[in-house]
Amino acid sequence: MRLLGSMKVEDNKLSIGGVDVATLAKEYGTPLYIIDQEELEDKCRLFKENFSHPDLRGEVAYASKAFLTVGMAQLINKEGLSIDVVSGGELYTVHKAGFPMDRVYFHGNNKTLEELELAIRLKCGNIIIDNRHEAKILGELLEKHDYKMNVFLRVNPGISAETHDYIKTTTDDSKFGESIFQEDIYQILRDIKVQDYMNFKGLHCHIGSQIFEEESFLRAVDEMLYFYQLVKNELDIEFESINLGGGFGVYYAEGDRPIDLGPFLQRMIDYIYQGSRRRELTIRHVLIEPGRSIISNAGSTLYTVGGTKETYSGKKYIFIDGGMSDNPRPALYQAKYEAIIANKAEEAPDTLYTVAGKLCESGDVLIEDIKLPRAEAGDLLLISSTGAYTFSMFSNYNRVLRPAVALVKGGSPRLMVRRQTYEDLVSLDEELI
Ligand code: LLP
């Protein structure tokens, strides 16, 4: 397994943030999500420092769907990033964290009336409108509450980026945004522009997730700027902002080649600046919304090995005390991960294993074919780069409990989220007799 962030191997043991992971297992139990605070802060700074430009205001909004807790929103705020939310639940969480609401961007293709009302009540600063229907109901609500809001319209520029089908978002039949190629797109823009309670800042696009090609991002910039020019010519509307979404791919396993983000972010923002000048546009503010690339490498999941099993056909399993409930990504997207036996960190990986979870489902396999040292009950297995879309996609399938989340830095751990209890689990259920 590649050591990420502050991971270290010493005396056959793996530590993160200066804490032996065996100590974390003792203190908080397993399965356990571990967040490496230093790695998280480094990523925030990498984005903030490099997505900046002398003539454009660069703004980085963390896509909180990747991983969100009250504490996480506070760490993001401390690093000076903005935040993107996609539901009433995420909105409420950042509000509870005391996040400045003028730096909150509210997304979603089907925000309910209740969610829009909540956004207004919590004084959310920015909404990304998904479609014409939403533009209409939001306009009515804003007028009713006499509240003016910054708005963006999500558009689909039809870029096909190379990634898993389930996380592509700008194919022509995508459910997100309004296509820039459809006939009535100008009418939708006009309708938003004339709304008194909307401050129409610009357009948004997001081309997909876990993308490794720089070209896909730059093509999206080209398409969007071209469309800005058409809008300027056709409607005489000039936008001040542009939002290009997230999607920067990360390292999970051998073969993954993430973009070298520092230089690329600088290149990307300058590319936007040059393109906008060439087309004589008035863009002064550029946003991106990275989620995975901020938190994925900072997160790991620690499990205790229960049994091991060799099947009749010779396949060797390691059984862990979690599985697709705490990480559905292998089952959903055929996602690949690396792992280490944390208490045998320097031993030769000489046995080929499949790491399977404890859920009642044959597809509950987290890693197919990985070489590890000989495993036995009580070993600690750590899967790396699980910070994004695992905790946030957790399910209580089989009524297993949601693991705790521990934050580590400088040799000391802190609890970010306590482990669910059986009492938590039944707390919403009503007795019927
Ligand atoms: N902005 C918008 C509008 C998005 O829809 C997304 C992700 C992001 C930003 C952040 O993208 P990121 O930088 O994290 O790639 N559950 C899937 C990923 C779904 C992504 C959905 N939208 C997975 O586990 O791979």
Side-chain angles (χ1 to χ4, degrees):
M1 185 189 84
R2 183 186 284 188
L3 298 182
L4 302 171
S6 69
M7 286 179 184
K8 282 203 175 63
V9 168
E10 244 169 15
D11 300 334
N12 213 17
K13 295 182 198 132
L14 176 77
S15 70
I16 307 178
V19 188
D20 178 354
V21 298
T23 311
L24 294 172
K26 256 194 223 110
E27 174 110 13
Y28 303 112
T30 60
L32 177 70
Y33 295 108
I34 303 169
I35 303 291
D36 176 348
Q37 186 175 347
E38 197 175 287
E39 164 65 16
L40 165 63
E41 289 166 349
D42 285 350
K43 285 286 155 59
C44 290
R45 288 166 201 170
L46 176 82
F47 272 96
K48 218 173 141 56
E49 280 160 21
N50 291 291
F51 197 66
S52 70
H53 193 275
D55 300 301
L56 277 181
R57 181 160 77 86
E59 184 174 353
V60 181
Y62 167 64
S64 70
K65 75 202 79 179
F67 173 76
L68 182 65
T69 71
V70 166
M72 178 66 179
Q74 291 167 338
L75 292 174
I76 289 294
N77 185 29
K78 195 169 117 243
E79 291 307 313
L81 267 57
S82 301
I83 208 155
D84 131 14
V85 298
V86 287
S87 70
E90 288 182 356
L91 184 63
Y92 188 72
T93 306
V94 304
H95 160 73
K96 284 298 263 189
F99 203 93
M101 294 310 275
D102 60 323
R103 286 196 276 120
V104 177
Y105 290 81
F106 188 14
H107 274 277
N109 69 300
N110 187 25
K111 303 173 194 81
T112 63
L113 273 178
E114 289 77 16
E115 286 175 319
L116 292 173
E117 296 243 357
L118 180 69
I120 293 171
R121 189 153 54 77
L122 299 182
K123 301 207 161 19
C124 174
N126 312 275
I127 283 202
I128 288 82
I129 296 172
D130 182 84
N131 53 64
R132 87 199 70 182
H133 168 70
E134 184 178 295
K136 183 168 170 296
I137 57 171
L138 177 64
E140 289 161 7
L141 278 182
L142 290 172
E143 188 170 349
K144 181 172 130 200
H145 292 275
D146 191 21
Y147 183 69
K148 189 158 183 169
M149 206 178 245
N150 290 335
V151 302
F152 288 74
L153 175 70
R154 179 164 182 169
V155 295
N156 177 352
I159 305 281
S160 172
E162 212 33 65
T163 189
H164 192 282
D165 277 353
Y166 290 2
I167 46 182
K168 282 182 180 166
T169 46
T170 48
T171 51
D172 284 339
D173 53 3
S174 165
K175 73 169 185 171
F176 297 108
E178 296 282 8
S179 169
I180 60 171
F181 304 109
Q182 73 199 39
E183 267 169 32
D184 57 351
I185 184 75
Y186 294 122
Q187 191 53 46
I188 300 173
L189 295 171
R190 234 183 260 123
D191 290 349
I192 298 177
K193 184 69 188 166
V194 298
Q195 300 255 2
D196 290 338
Y197 288 88
M198 291 185 185
N199 185 14
F200 197 5
K201 303 284 276 187
L203 305 181
H204 168 281
C205 76
H206 168 78
I207 58 170
S209 205
Q210 185 59 359
I211 293 167
F212 291 136
E213 301 85 38
E214 300 187 358
E215 283 317 303
S216 301
F217 292 102
L218 300 181
R219 254 191 312 129
V221 170
D222 287 336
E223 285 298 320
M224 290 293 277
L225 293 182
Y226 173 65
F227 187 60
Y228 268 52
Q229 194 173 16
L230 291 182
V231 173
K232 181 180 166 185
N233 297 344
E234 292 287 324
L235 303 179
D236 202 23
I237 295 179
E238 294 217 50
F239 295 118
E240 163 188 342
S241 307
I242 186 166
N243 185 333
L244 294 155
F248 307 101
V250 302
Y251 182 86
Y252 285 107
E254 221 178 280
D256 288 340
R257 309 236 177 288
I259 293 172
D260 185 2
L261 279 175
F264 179 66
L265 290 168
Q266 288 181 20
R267 182 170 158 220
M268 181 170 166
I269 196 165
D270 192 55
Y271 192 81
I272 300 163
Y273 176 70
Q274 300 300 345
S276 140
R277 276 197 54 170
R278 221 176 21 256
R279 293 179 172 86
E280 297 177 351
L281 300 171
T282 50
I283 297 171
R284 291 191 296 277
H285 173 212
V286 195
L287 283 126
I288 47 172
E289 300 168 334
R292 189 192 314 267
S293 48
I294 298 254
I295 189 65
S296 188
N297 285 179
S300 328
T301 319
L302 186 64
Y303 304 94
T304 301
V305 174
T308 56
K309 181 187 272 183
E310 184 164 346
T311 64
Y312 178 57
S313 61
K315 186 171 173 132
K316 293 191 175 71
Y317 278 106
I318 291 181
F319 294 151
I320 51 170
D321 55 354
M324 65 189 295
S325 47
D326 58 73
N327 186 355
R329 301 194 67 258
L332 266 178
Y333 319 112
Q334 297 82 48
K336 303 275 179 284
Y337 286 94
E338 293 181 346
I340 191 170
I341 297 187
N343 54 304
K344 297 179 174 169
E346 284 172 322
E347 292 178 25
D350 52 8
T351 313
L352 191 67
Y353 283 114
T354 287
V355 178
K358 70 193 298 305
L359 287 298
C360 265
E361 191 90 24
S362 307
D364 179 27
V365 166
L366 292 193
I367 305 179
E368 194 78 61
D369 291 342
I370 179 172
K371 280 212 156 166
L372 292 168
R374 253 200 124 62
E376 59 206 323
D379 280 345
L380 292 172
L381 183 112
L382 180 127
I383 300 189
S384 57
S385 199
T386 59
Y389 304 109
T390 58
F391 173 82
S392 61
M393 294 177 78
F394 175 85
S395 92
N396 277 122
Y397 180 49
N398 289 176
R399 291 225 146 188
V400 297
L401 300 177
R402 194 176 65 188
V405 185
L407 182 73
V408 287
K409 186 179 178 180
S412 46
R414 283 173 77 183
L415 195 61
M416 269 182 111
V417 181
R418 75 160 166 81
R419 180 175 307 280
Q420 232 176 9
T421 63
Y422 287 130
E423 270 316 304
D424 290 333
L425 205 58
V426 294
S427 64
L428 302 176
D429 297 3
E430 299 289 345
E431 304 249 8
L432 290 182
I433 41 171

